[in-house]
Structures are given as C-alpha cells and as structure tokens.
Amino acid sequence: MPPRNALDALTMRPTRFLVSSWPWRSLAYLTGGALIGFATVFVVLGLLGAGLVLTVVVIGVAGYLATLLSGVAVGRLERWRMRIVDRDALPDPHRRPPRPGLRAWLLCRLREQATWRELGYTMVSALVLCWMDAAVVFATLYVPGALLFAPVYIHDQPLSRTVPLMLFAPLAFVIAAYPVTAWAGARAAMARAILAPRSHDTNAELVELTRSRARLVDAFEVERRRIERDLHDGAQQRLVALSMQLGLARLEVAPGSPAESSLTAAQDLAKQALAELRELIRGVHPKVLTDRGLVAAVGEAAGHAPVPVDLDLRLTGRLPEAVEVAAYFVVVEALANVAKHSRATRALVTAGLDDGRLRLDVRDDGRGGADPERGTGLVGLADRVAAVGGSVAMSSPPGGPTLVHVEIPCES
C-alpha cells in the first residue's frame, strides 16, 4: 500500500523515497506554513489595531470579532493544505447554523469549541510553528545552495578547495530530504490533532449520529440471536435434508425419464434456497464473528464486497462481544452504501485501539453527497453504536470522499 502521509513515506526504501514526490511536497507544505503564519501575524495585528482605533464608533467591535474568527479561515486553509503531505482528508468540524444570516452564523461559530481550537492553532502557528517552518526551509535550501555555489562567491580560496564543496551539494540535498519530510509529517500530525473533529462537533458534512437506544438494541440483539439460531438449526437443516431426499429420489427413477428432469430442477431450486438462506444467516450474525473475532469477520465482509477494499486492522486479540458486533455491522452497512450509492473504485477500512477506544474508519473515493436522513442506514447503526457508549460521524462533501468514523469505548 502506498504511504498515506509524510511520516509513512520515511519508512520507504531510500531509493524509492528520494525519487518520490514526498520530499518536494514536504518542502512545499513547510514553505506554505511559513508564509501563512507570517501573513496571519500581520492580518491579526491589523485587525486588532483597527478594532482599537474604531472602538469609539462601536464598529471597532467588528475588528475584535474578526480576530476571534480568524482561526476559522486559517483552520479551513490548513485542512485543505494538509492534503499535500497527508492523503486522508480532515473533515470540517463546524456545524451548519440553525438559521440563515450573519448574526446566526456568528453566534453559532462563537459557541463552538472547534472555533476556539482553531484560534488556538492559529496563535501557535503564527507565534511558533511558522518560525520553525521557515528555519527548516532556510536550512534545507541554504546549506546545499551554499555548497553548490561555493566557487562563485568564495574568492579568497583556490578552486581546489571550493570545487570539492560544490561536489558535496547533491549529498547535502539528499540528507536534507529526511529532516524536511520528518518535520512536515510531525507538523501535519500536530495540526490534525488540534483541528480534527471531536465527538461533539457536527455539521452537514460531519454528522454526529448519537441517540441512546440501549434497551431497544439489547432487545433486538436477543431477538436477532433467536432468529439466527432458528434459521441455522431449523430451516437450514430441513433444506439440507430436502436436497438429500431429492438426490436419493433421482437415483430411484429411470435415467432420461421426465421425472428425473423434474427432480433435478427441484434439487437445484433447493440448493439455491439453501445458499440464499446461508447468506441471510450470515447477514443476521456471521459465525466467523463469533468464532474468530472482528478482524476475520471484516476480512470476510471485504472479500464479499463488490468494490475492492483495502484493510488496515491494527487489532490483536478479541474485543468485547457487543463492541465487535457493533463495529462489524458498521463496516457491512458502510460497504453496502459504497457499492450502492458512491460510484467508488476503492474503499479502505482502518481500525485500531487508542486510549481505550476502538477507532474505526470506512472511507471511499466515490462521489460523496451522502445524507443519513435519506435512508442510508447509518441512523440505525448509530443507535446500535450508541448503545455501547460509542458514536458515529460521517463526512461526505459533494464530490467526495466519504468517511464514516466510529469511536467505541473498549477495554483491551
């Protein structure tokens, strides 16, 4: 699987890494960070100055509000800019204002925690990070450039000393590629940690689907297991017996007789019904989930999906049964939506434990625009996940990509 961010790129073989685009992308990301940080300093100082001067005529309050909300613009720009060194898009954490109009928008933004996180990131970026970006970019370009042009600007030394310095310039560029990429990856990881949506952030693009239905889901779980048991032990066994009886009956009739063709057709129908029933039982509760756990069950679901699915499941051992069931059906429903609605060419399922929580992502490269209120099945899944104390969020802007993110408290 190709690296998804700059830090992953550092694990590539040196020959592949040096000829890839990651060093140049990292350099471009850091250069942009330095320029945006310096521009932010001047803009914020200008807004504060305008607010101070115009306070006497009340309109200066707008300058202070613009300063507070400057982080919204910087955060949006940073989430877009992170795609240079991180292939995973960072969803917008802001929710849609309840009413149209500037006043409703201002009140909505000022009450959101995401706005204050973005303001904090803007201040840290302007006061610290942009200077570090500038220092890394300057060192990366200055040291190899100084070596490369040593014969041009060093006049008090003979060429026998300056030409060898010029020959070291390519090596300096090669060495510089690693710290540049490492800092760009760390810089993007810090930005993602601050700007990433939290479980309480929600909007039209990141929909938090959390409603407590614990008793209803528990009752459904009991009923689901009863249905699965009845189908497996009752109807399935009878269909197997019927198919065997039809096969035995075929042996009793004369070859080529009309009865043989009828029995053959009846046996084929019984086999088809048995296959459909087994598929139904798998949908109710797959046996592999009970026997082998979430990783094996998700792998089987990915194998049956009509769209190619990449898996990155960093899980060892078994999880609590309720957590495995909830996570499995999220994956199954999300992959079904990918096949039905997204027109995607590929999907990716990632899962891992972090700080005692199962974090599960299902993303695709489709057309986006999914809306849970139009019956995509995610509302019911949110109820199931909420019953085990988790949450489901979805980001699906028009044009894609679509991301379903699940977090479930889980004891390792």
Side-chain angles (χ1 to χ4, degrees), residues 271-313:
K271 290 180 178 179
Q272 293 177 12
L274 182 61
E276 292 177 359
L277 182 61
R278 285 172 175 167
E279 189 68 26
L280 176 61
I281 294 173
R282 185 184 297 113
V284 172
H285 186 82
K287 193 172 187 300
V288 66
L289 181 62
T290 302
D291 295 341
R292 298 172 54 195
L294 181 61
V295 173
V298 170
E300 183 181 77
H304 287 88
V307 176
V309 180
D310 296 320
L311 299 177
D312 182 13
L313 307 177

Side-chain angles (χ1 to χ4, degrees), residues 211-221 383-384 386-389:
R211 291 177 297 169
S212 178
R213 296 293 186 269
R215 286 181 294 180
L216 290 177
V217 172
D218 287 343
F220 169 77
E221 187 69 15
D383 292 341
R384 181 191 292 269
V388 291

Side-chain angles (χ1 to χ4, degrees), residues 18-35:
L18 293 173
V19 299
S20 70
S21 62
W22 287 104
W24 300 105
R25 293 167 67 165
S26 301
L27 186 62
Y29 176 73
L30 296 180
T31 302
L35 295 176

Side-chain angles (χ1 to χ4, degrees), residues 221-372:
E221 187 69 15
V222 173
E223 184 66 14
R224 179 187 58 76
R225 285 190 172 276
R226 186 189 65 79
I227 294 173
E228 186 264 342
R229 184 177 61 253
D230 290 347
L231 290 175
H232 185 274
D233 298 337
Q236 179 176 251
Q237 300 304 322
R238 290 187 179 90
L239 279 174
V240 171
L242 174 61
S243 180
M244 294 178 61
Q245 290 295 329
L246 290 173
L248 293 174
R250 286 177 56 193
L251 297 177
E252 299 295 332
V253 300
S257 66
E260 182 186 24
S261 60
S262 299
L263 289 173
T264 301
Q267 189 177 26
D268 291 339
L269 289 174
K271 290 180 178 179
Q272 293 177 12
L274 182 61
E276 292 177 359
L277 182 61
R278 285 172 175 167
E279 189 68 26
L280 176 61
I281 294 173
R282 185 184 297 113
V284 172
H285 186 82
K287 193 172 187 300
V288 66
L289 181 62
T290 302
D291 295 341
R292 298 172 54 195
L294 181 61
V295 173
V298 170
E300 183 181 77
H304 287 88
V307 176
V309 180
D310 296 320
L311 299 177
D312 182 13
L313 307 177
R314 300 178 297 278
L315 298 172
T316 57
R318 296 297 299 267
L319 302 177
E321 181 182 4
V323 174
E324 288 188 335
V325 171
Y328 171 78
F329 282 105
V330 167
V331 173
V332 171
E333 181 65 30
L335 292 179
N337 288 336
V338 170
K340 293 177 182 177
H341 309 294
S342 70
R343 298 181 184 175
T345 60
R346 203 160 197 88
L348 171 66
V349 179
T350 61
L353 287 174
D354 184 15
D355 295 331
R357 298 178 70 85
L358 172 65
R359 301 182 189 275
L360 173 69
D361 288 338
V362 182
R363 54 172 56 86
D364 64 69
D365 59 358
R367 60 180 180 176
D371 184 358

